[in-house]
Each structure stands twice: as structure tokens, then as C-alpha cells.
Amino acid sequence: MPEPRRHDEGEAGRYLRPYAITGGRTQHSQHAFTLITLVVARSARESGAAHLEPEAAHILDVCRDRALAVAEIAALLDLPVSVVKVLCGDLLDASLILVQSPPGRESRPSVELIERVMDGIRQL
């Protein structure tokens, strides 16, 4: 009779670790991040970073010299995007990062305006 298949300890850790990093949170209570939200560390100083989780400190390290998208940070740290979003929210609350969110629908030009611009270009 074959032995019952056990969950690999590494597999279980893969799911428990993100839960532990975020304290069970799946999203940040105050901030919404998209995959293309840009994140950059505020300064080269480490002030306020001593109490951070290692993953949050790593986010500061990778975003110190240039802005990175949330999706890029997740790939570099090999973490789920949801975890990176929660950690970035915590870093933003602590004023350790700056973020640039993509423009929302309200800032997009109307279809009517685009059509008028295209008509003007055609008349040139």
C-alpha cells in the first residue's frame, strides 16, 4: 500500500510566510496600489527602518536608487504582489517611500476631445 502523500515542508512555508509577513492582512487598510504603481525610497538614510520586517527593509533597498513598479518589486523579492502592496502601504504610512500611482479614469481625455484633436490634425 502506498504511503500517504505529505505536504512538503517547503510548500507549507511558502503559504505561511506571506501570511506571517503581513500579519494576515491581504490588503492595506488605507492605500490601494496597482501593479504599475511606482515606489521609491524617500532618502538614503535608514532612519525609521530599524523596526521593519526584513522584506520591508529589502523594498527600501531595491527602491533606493530608482523608482520601481509594485510588480517589479514583487518579482525581485520573490513575494506575492498582495504582500508587497501591504508592505508598501506600511512603508508609506511611515513616510519611508514616495509613490506615483497611474492616472485614474477621471484624468483621461474624453473621446470627444480626442476626436476633435484628430480632426484638427487631418485639416493640417
Side-chain angles (χ1 to χ4, degrees):
M1 182 175 200
E3 191 172 316
R5 187 174 175 178
R6 294 185 216 165
H7 286 283
D8 183 66
E9 194 172 298
E11 184 179 325
R14 180 175 171 202
Y15 297 107
L16 290 174
R17 185 170 158 253
Y19 179 86
I21 293 168
T22 63
R25 297 174 293 160
T26 57
Q27 56 187 342
H28 199 271
S29 61
Q30 296 177 353
H31 307 290
F33 294 89
T34 67
L35 293 175
I36 59 173
T37 298
L38 295 175
V39 177
V40 66
R42 284 186 67 97
S43 70
R45 290 180 282 128
E46 291 293 325
S47 62
H51 65 282
L52 296 176
E53 294 283 337
E55 293 81 5
H58 198 180
I59 290 173
L60 290 177
D61 288 341
V62 299
C63 295
R64 188 135 345 261
D65 297 325
R66 66 185 176 114
L68 293 174
V70 168
E72 291 176 293
I73 297 167
L76 287 170
L77 273 60
D78 193 27
L79 287 173
V81 171
S82 59
V83 171
V84 172
K85 289 179 178 182
V86 170
L87 293 174
C88 284
D90 294 343
L91 291 170
L92 187 57
D93 282 347
S95 299
L96 294 172
I97 61 170
L98 298 170
V99 297
Q100 175 67 49
S101 296
R105 290 188 181 266
E106 65 280 349
S107 64
R108 293 182 188 164
S110 68
V111 172
E112 180 184 322
L113 175 62
I114 293 171
E115 287 173 348
R116 283 191 284 157
V117 169
M118 289 172 58
D119 289 341
I121 291 171
R122 286 185 194 120
Q123 292 176 5
L124 293 176

